[in-house]
Amino acid sequence: MSGPKFGTAPNVYNPGEKDTEIIDVLKCAGFDANACMQCGVCTGSCLSGRWTAMRTRNIMYRAAAGDASILEDPDIWLCTTCYNCYDRCPRDLKVTDAIIELRNLATRRGYIHPRHRKTVDILHKSGHAVPINDKTKEIRKELGLEEIPLTIYTDKMEVQKLAKAVFQLPPEEEGGD
Ligand code: SF4
Ligand code: SF4
């Protein structure tokens, strides 16, 4: 794939050939690319944006323009899916769902954020997205519980079955860390 590698895309509009698949996924998510009036209410509502460089309006502007660099921008992974922007958008655009769909498309193209890739790997290996660590085992023991609860965690065969059943990630793009 041409263009900048994951994590190196500038977080500015990158005019070029329009990627219509991006517009299509926005539409499926309930985000009409022509309806966004760039008011910035989504950015002003974004808790993640208070602590990071993520700017929701900027993401939606680039996505609505079909700018493919948005899929390689790590900022789309900073959304906590809190739905503040979704609730406050004066045009009733489904911003959060659109960002989730952008991530899904980015993932299909091999641009999942490395930290999210790690979480998927852990899920494949243990059956849990957040595995039980030594500290948790210790606390469970203190509470008189088994170190490990009887979940998929204890059954390697089930973990293998789950790993085959849940989504498989495409290979890592060069440039991910
Ligand atoms: S709040 Fe809605 S209309 Fe305003 S910039 Fe964000 S997505 Fe566009
Ligand atoms: S859903 Fe995501 S983009 Fe919207 S306000 Fe919450 S963190 Fe920001």
Side-chain angles (χ1 to χ4, degrees), residues 3-80:
K5 294 297 179 194
F6 178 77
T8 61
N11 65 345
V12 291
Y13 174 49
N14 179 23
E17 203 178 319
K18 192 180 263 201
D19 188 328
T20 52
E21 200 180 357
I22 294 178
I23 316 274
D24 289 345
V25 296
L26 293 187
K27 201 170 168 194
C28 287
F31 190 103
D32 178 351
N34 295 318
C36 173
M37 59 181 174
Q38 287 294 298
C39 62
V41 167
C42 47
T43 295
S45 313
C46 184
L47 297 176
S48 182
R50 282 191 206 166
W51 302 100
T52 69
M54 176 195 178
R55 295 292 174 263
T56 315
R57 184 203 56 78
N58 177 287
I59 288 173
M60 299 325 301
Y61 175 70
R62 290 158 64 201
D67 172 0
S69 78
I70 194 65
L71 302 177
E72 303 169 46
D73 191 328
D75 283 3
I76 61 172
W77 298 93
L78 293 174
C79 169
T80 62

Side-chain angles (χ1 to χ4, degrees), residues 4 130 132 134 162:
V130 182
I132 295 168
D134 290 344
L162 177 85

Side-chain angles (χ1 to χ4, degrees), residues 99-165:
I99 291 175
I100 291 170
E101 285 307 321
L102 286 175
R103 289 177 179 176
N104 288 343
L105 180 58
T107 300
R108 288 199 291 279
R109 294 195 187 173
Y111 293 120
I112 187 170
H113 192 287
R115 286 188 189 150
H116 289 251
R117 180 179 285 278
K118 265 184 201 152
T119 304
V120 175
D121 288 345
I122 291 168
L123 180 68
H124 278 173
K125 281 183 196 136
S126 71
H128 286 251
V130 182
I132 295 168
N133 60 22
D134 290 344
K135 180 76 186 160
T136 308
K137 284 182 194 164
E138 212 177 285
I139 294 169
R140 288 181 58 86
K141 232 165 111 181
E142 278 169 24
L143 293 171
L145 299 166
E146 297 287 334
E147 272 192 357
I148 298 174
L150 274 179
T151 68
I152 191 170
Y153 209 84
T154 54
D155 190 329
K156 296 275 175 237
M157 291 294 286
E158 287 301 319
V159 172
Q160 281 170 14
K161 272 198 246 168
L162 177 85
K164 275 190 196 147

